[in-house]
Amino acid sequence: MKNARRLSQILFLALFLFLFIQTEYKGSNELGLPVRFFLDFDPLIALSVLLATHAARALFLFSIVTVVVSVLFGRVFCGWVCPLGTLNTFAGWFKMRSMKPGEDDTVFRRWRPVKYYVLFFLLVAAAFGWNAAGFVDPISMTIRSLAVGWNPAVNKIVRSFFEFTYAADLPWVSPGLDAVYSAMIGTALAFEQPVFRQSILIGLLFAGVIGLNALAPRFWCRYLCPLGALLGLLGWKQALARVDVDGGKCVSCRRCNLSCQGDATPFPAGRWASRECLACWNCADVCPVQAVSIHPTTRATGDGNVDLTRRWLLASGLGALVAVPAMSVGAHRTRPNPELIRPPGALPEQAFVRTCVKCGECMKVCLTNGLQPTLGQAGLEGLWTPLLVPRLGYCEYNCNLCSQVCPTGAIRAIDLKEKHRIRIGLATIDRDRCIPWALGVNCIVCEEHCPVPGKAIRFEEEERENRRGETFTLKRPVVNPRLCVGCGICENKCPVVDLPAIRVSSINETRSEENRLVL
């Protein structure tokens, strides 16, 4: 069974990475199956969004499959499916190999209740309106960390390698590698080098999670993961796959404990902790005398589950109750932030923050790289949610990929016809920096790029004389706020590159009744 579990982990990780790569613009406005497929089966995401918004989505029904499997077999999702769990298994293998029979394996065991208190904190916070599960949910965290933190670095390294070999002009080698590079663009690599704010921070945090395996194998899964805690609570019975140790056969070698992925203590007999068991089958496979078996039974085979103390549960709940109002304190609640330009289809701000799980899929799929993670623009409650930064990338007029990948409906599914009617902001012209207004020289870049039918940017024309005394028509751009959708392409293409002369802010967005310029 151990080999079957390893094969399952490899296949699911390969599927995850394949879908991750596919969640990208491929030259058309249609995506296949995006990597949100894994989030659809995530009961923690479904439960937290349900508590925070009091609204359910049909896709959440997939998470019931995970719940049923967990009730019958325990934390099989953690041991056989979860991509972060598989990465932790790989990283923790080195630590596990270094452990010796007889070595003290109880150093971190007192940490086992922590993940349950984290889970309780998240659920109480969600019930009172702060959906923080996406920060630490393993699926959401892995997608965000790879998309924002590691994908840009991998793209840069691979591109630099091919650029180096191309510049070296090696006979036979360079032409072949150039063909490989061309084939990878738009398939394994992004069309353009992705750039994200906070990519180093988010990437390092994920590296820290993997690095915890130096302390104990699968440290995150054993002691911190809230999804693991939820599945452990759901599957503590796991009547179809209970670990049973025959005390008469056991020779006390402790190999079962050393090989246990979840720190479920199969040894000594009767001390197995069902909530910690990942159903990895390692204990049964390594036992030299076949004293450990895993089989269906309703008989109690272990009483090693940790007791959750009322004091710490109360502290977790009170912590959440304090955190919820603390997260909402900030200037973003008193006046709309002009930088907070949300993607088309985004729910009204408070509903958006409660619904978004910060997975970063919309940012990865944005074909202009304009969607970036927020830092302080939406307060701490909206940290790492997406906003459009026109200077880095604009909202392509005929693209709605972000609305296709959102797993929770924070960005509604919209077609292009509806998208064309949605305003996400408004462009305004800084006449002190605009070339025609400030210098009296024609520049029509913003008007040329405006994608709106009828043009949201028009010209005020005036007859002028140049230095040579020749008459010419000066065209000075002005914005029609009734037509401008705030896509940001004018700001992105403005030739005044350091601080563009035309800039987009969130005013006039369709989703808000208050942040309006045109009443």
Side-chain angles (χ1 to χ4, degrees), residues 336-349 352 366 368-372 386-391 393-400 402-403 410-412 414-416 418-428 451-452 456 479-492 503-518:
N337 189 322
E339 297 180 17
L340 200 57
I341 306 169
R342 296 297 195 184
L347 299 176
E349 183 59 21
F352 179 81
C366 180
T368 68
N369 203 189
L371 288 181
Q372 299 284 320
L387 86 166
L388 182 73
V389 181
R391 276 187 239 181
Y394 55 91
C395 183
E396 170 59 43
Y397 192 63
N398 290 312
C399 169
N400 62 352
C402 57
S403 76
I411 305 174
R412 292 185 297 108
I414 53 174
D415 57 24
L416 289 178
E418 181 181 2
K419 183 202 170 179
H420 292 164
R421 295 195 299 267
I422 294 176
R423 298 188 301 270
I424 59 176
L426 176 67
T428 53
V452 178
V479 177
N480 183 344
R482 296 188 181 279
L483 292 181
C484 180
V485 294
C487 68
I489 191 172
C490 51
E491 179 176 340
N492 186 264
R503 298 189 288 275
V504 176
S505 69
S506 63
I507 190 71
N508 222 25
E509 55 183 347
T510 302
R511 68 187 183 121
S512 172
E513 295 294 332
E514 300 175 352
N515 195 21
R516 294 284 183 90
L517 183 65
V518 180

Side-chain angles (χ1 to χ4, degrees), residues 26 96 160 202 241 254 256 267 322 442 449 502 512:
K26 301 292 182 184
M96 190 167 282
S160 298
I202 292 173
R254 305 171 75 94
C256 51
F267 175 84
V322 171
N442 276 327
H449 283 90
I502 184 167
S512 172

Side-chain angles (χ1 to χ4, degrees), residues 205-517:
L205 288 175
F206 189 71
V209 169
I210 300 298
L212 288 173
N213 288 284
L215 301 176
R218 297 194 66 160
F219 188 98
W220 173 268
C221 313
R222 288 179 170 190
Y223 310 121
L224 301 176
C225 180
L227 176 59
L230 177 61
L231 298 182
L233 291 172
L234 291 170
W236 71 278
K237 282 280 189 182
Q238 58 183 88
L240 297 185
R242 293 187 69 82
V243 174
D244 196 357
V245 179
D246 185 340
K249 290 183 178 178
C250 179
V251 294
S252 304
C253 66
R254 305 171 75 94
R255 291 183 182 176
C256 51
N257 277 7
L258 290 178
S259 65
C260 180
Q261 295 279 333
D263 195 17
T265 58
F267 175 84
R271 291 299 295 163
W272 172 61
S274 61
R275 290 203 302 255
E276 313 304 321
C277 180
L278 307 187
C280 67
W281 256 265
N282 279 0
C283 54
D285 285 347
V286 300
C287 182
V289 294
Q290 287 78 49
V292 181
S293 61
I294 301 176
H295 55 83
T297 179
T298 56
R299 178 172 54 86
T301 58
D303 60 357
N305 284 324
V306 294
D307 293 326
L308 303 178
T309 66
R310 187 180 303 174
R311 180 178 61 179
W312 279 104
L313 285 173
L314 184 61
S316 301
L318 289 175
L321 293 178
V322 171
V324 171
M327 292 300 108
S328 63
V329 173
H332 67 288
R333 285 287 190 116
T334 57
R335 291 180 69 90
N337 189 322
E339 297 180 17
L340 200 57
I341 306 169
R342 296 297 195 184
L347 299 176
E349 183 59 21
Q350 293 309 311
F352 179 81
V353 170
R354 286 196 297 268
T355 310
C356 177
V357 292
K358 301 95 179 166
C359 66
E361 285 197 64
C362 54
M363 303 177 210
K364 184 175 189 297
V365 83
C366 180
L367 69 92
T368 68
N369 203 189
L371 288 181
Q372 299 284 320
T374 57
L375 184 57
Q377 295 88 346
L380 289 176
E381 62 181 338
L383 181 67
W384 295 342
T385 53
L387 86 166
L388 182 73
V389 181
R391 276 187 239 181
L392 296 178
Y394 55 91
C395 183
E396 170 59 43
Y397 192 63
N398 290 312
C399 169
N400 62 352
L401 294 180
C402 57
S403 76
Q404 296 180 34
V405 300
C406 183
T408 61
I411 305 174
R412 292 185 297 108
I414 53 174
D415 57 24
L416 289 178
K417 188 176 180 181
E418 181 181 2
K419 183 202 170 179
H420 292 164
R421 295 195 299 267
I422 294 176
R423 298 188 301 270
I424 59 176
L426 176 67
T428 53
I429 295 175
D430 184 345
R431 295 187 177 187
D432 291 331
R433 300 182 66 82
C434 179
I435 294 173
W437 285 99
L439 304 178
V441 178
N442 276 327
C443 172
I444 60 174
V445 172
C446 56
E447 190 270 348
E448 279 189 326
H449 283 90
C450 181
V452 178
K455 296 289 184 184
I457 299 174
R458 58 181 177 80
F459 293 117
E460 287 184 356
E461 298 183 352
E462 181 180 328
E463 296 297 317
R464 289 283 191 91
E465 284 189 357
N466 60 22
R467 293 179 179 178
R468 297 186 296 273
E470 300 167 339
T471 302
F472 74 99
T473 301
L474 177 63
K475 297 182 176 180
R476 295 183 294 200
V478 294
V479 177
N480 183 344
R482 296 188 181 279
L483 292 181
C484 180
V485 294
C487 68
I489 191 172
C490 51
E491 179 176 340
N492 186 264
K493 301 298 182 183
C494 180
V496 186
V497 293
D498 61 340
L499 181 60
I502 184 167
R503 298 189 288 275
V504 176
S505 69
S506 63
I507 190 71
N508 222 25
E509 55 183 347
T510 302
R511 68 187 183 121
S512 172
E513 295 294 332
E514 300 175 352
N515 195 21
R516 294 284 183 90
L517 183 65

Side-chain angles (χ1 to χ4, degrees), residues 12-23:
F12 275 107
L13 179 61
L15 175 63
F16 177 84
L17 294 176
F18 172 75
L19 295 178
F20 179 81
I21 293 172
Q22 291 302 305
T23 307

